[in-house]
Amino acid sequence: MAYLKIGISEEEMFELDKISGYDLSCFSLKNQFTSESGHTITYPVRMQKKRIAVTAEIYGDEYEAFMEILEQPEFYGIFQNPDGEKSGFFTVTSDISVTKIMNETPETFALYAVSFTIEEV
């Protein structure tokens, strides 16, 4: 089951409860060093950073607060990993795509589909 909470701090979290797309992947950062003799060495800098591509449905009354979090250079996240719940600091690494699914009516708020990718800092 997909699960993601994001927020400016651990105390103020925004839970994404309507997730239609959730792709969790791991990657490693690598540096490359070339010596004076011309030998190239590639070595890992950080192993197993998390990358999460998400599409979530957000109601209009929550939209502005949610977008404020994504506009931060860095934010806190709690996510579902295959071996349980994990947390860390993330940043947005893709364009944020917003599609209006449903217009606002007197009975309901507008509904948006928001797609983005975040990576562990």
Side-chain angles (χ1 to χ4, degrees):
M1 179 179 165
Y3 177 79
L4 180 64
K5 286 183 178 183
I6 60 173
I8 307 296
S9 68
E10 293 181 51
E11 294 79 33
E12 298 177 27
M13 300 297 287
F14 184 93
E15 184 173 352
L16 298 169
D17 53 1
K18 292 178 177 51
I19 297 177
S20 57
Y22 185 87
D23 181 32
L24 174 67
S25 58
C26 298
F27 67 100
S28 297
L29 293 178
K30 294 183 173 74
N31 272 350
Q32 196 170 28
F33 172 76
T34 304
S35 68
E36 291 179 10
S37 62
H39 291 81
T40 301
I41 301 168
T42 302
Y43 58 95
V45 177
R46 175 136 185 239
M47 302 295 286
Q48 302 304 313
K49 287 180 74 171
K50 304 294 186 214
R51 179 181 292 140
I52 307 170
V54 179
T55 299
E57 295 176 2
I58 308 294
Y59 282 102
D61 62 332
E62 304 170 322
Y63 179 77
E64 285 186 36
F66 174 72
M67 292 304 285
E68 282 181 27
I69 295 169
L70 290 184
E71 290 169 359
Q72 299 299 313
E74 191 174 293
F75 50 86
Y76 188 71
I78 301 171
F79 61 98
Q80 183 64 39
N81 201 45
D83 60 349
E85 187 177 275
K86 300 284 185 180
S87 63
F89 287 93
F90 290 85
T91 188
V92 175
T93 59
S94 70
D95 289 337
I96 301 169
S97 171
V98 179
T99 305
K100 193 175 210 177
I101 298 173
M102 184 174 71
N103 289 323
E104 186 171 349
T105 67
E107 298 84 31
T108 62
F109 291 103
L111 183 63
Y112 300 91
V114 182
S115 299
F116 57 95
T117 301
I118 59 175
E119 284 183 6
E120 200 170 14
V121 178

